Amino acid sequence: MITRLAAAAGLLALSTSLTLAQTATSTPAEPASKADSNMKEWQVAKIAKVGLAQALTTAESQGDEKGGRAIDADFEKADSKDPAHYSVKVVYPSGKLVEYGINADTGALYKTENQPFERYFTRLKASDFQNAKTSLKDALTIAEQKAGGGKAYEAEVEKDGSAVQYEIKVAGADKEQEVKVGPDGKVLN
């Protein structure tokens, strides 16, 4: 009888161990917000569940004022207080500038901060962005095509005469690439 109980307890312990081992090895890959801190920013951005174009769309749909255009976006790796996210600046026709934090794993808005326009853009006016023939979203698509299908993760705006042009970072298979897109949608480099 004692032998049977010992054997049953042994089998129970073995099956529990196997179940725990299977559970531990079948967990899904870590989301970008918990990615290895040794990875470069473009490597973390490449594995983010949410793309920059989706983050721009989410940011542009926020706020009380209609007609906001995304003009700048930065990907930020996760740290102790923030998840991996896109920091997207949106300018409105009134000249109001708002920075939105969009979670790179969920696509959800997680922070909003009003910004002084002049702090970021000393040579540009809000109307320059509203009058731009090429939007930041269009420039992303153009840059990704030029880079051979990589994933855009950061975008910066510059003044080119009286128009805006975009400098976009694209995460490729094994490197990052920078693509400049002019106000007419043409690649400049």
Side-chain angles (χ1 to χ4, degrees):
M1 180 74 157
I2 294 178
T3 308
R4 285 187 193 166
L5 286 175
L11 285 174
L12 180 62
L14 179 62
S15 66
T16 303
S17 296
L18 289 174
T19 303
L20 289 174
Q22 286 176 344
T23 304
T25 58
S26 64
T27 56
E30 290 183 13
S33 63
K34 293 183 180 156
D36 185 352
S37 61
N38 295 326
M39 293 175 76
K40 295 184 183 202
E41 191 172 73
W42 68 270
Q43 293 170 315
V44 177
K46 189 171 69 169
I47 61 173
K49 293 177 184 172
V50 175
L52 182 54
Q54 182 182 343
L56 296 179
T57 299
T58 300
E60 288 178 338
S61 70
Q62 304 300 313
D64 301 339
E65 192 175 341
K66 300 294 179 211
R69 288 185 83 171
I71 58 170
D72 188 83
D74 291 313
F75 180 82
E76 303 290 334
K77 288 174 37 174
D79 60 26
S80 61
K81 63 178 180 133
D82 292 314
H85 66 280
Y86 296 98
S87 176
V88 181
K89 292 178 183 69
V90 175
V91 67
Y92 294 92
S94 67
K96 180 180 176 182
L97 179 67
V98 180
E99 182 177 331
Y100 295 104
I102 309 297
N103 186 306
D105 287 327
T106 65
L109 173 72
Y110 85 96
K111 80 174 182 181
T112 301
E113 186 177 323
N114 289 330
Q115 300 285 317
F117 187 84
E118 301 78 22
R119 178 175 166 196
Y120 293 101
F121 306 104
T122 55
R123 299 181 316 148
L124 292 166
K125 297 181 229 132
S127 60
D128 293 334
F129 299 106
Q130 300 302 321
N131 297 330
K133 293 178 186 174
T134 302
S135 71
L136 182 55
K137 279 194 248 179
D138 294 337
L140 289 180
T141 302
I142 294 165
E144 288 175 339
Q145 290 171 350
K146 171 68 176 166
K151 183 177 179 181
Y153 70 96
E154 287 193 4
E156 187 176 312
V157 68
E158 299 172 344
K159 188 165 183 161
D160 179 31
S162 62
V164 296
Q165 70 180 23
Y166 304 98
E167 189 175 290
I168 299 168
K169 290 184 180 178
V170 180
D174 59 354
K175 65 179 182 174
E176 72 175 332
Q177 186 174 347
E178 199 169 272
V179 179
K180 286 191 177 193
V181 178
D184 56 359
K186 292 184 180 170
V187 175
L188 303 175
N189 60 343

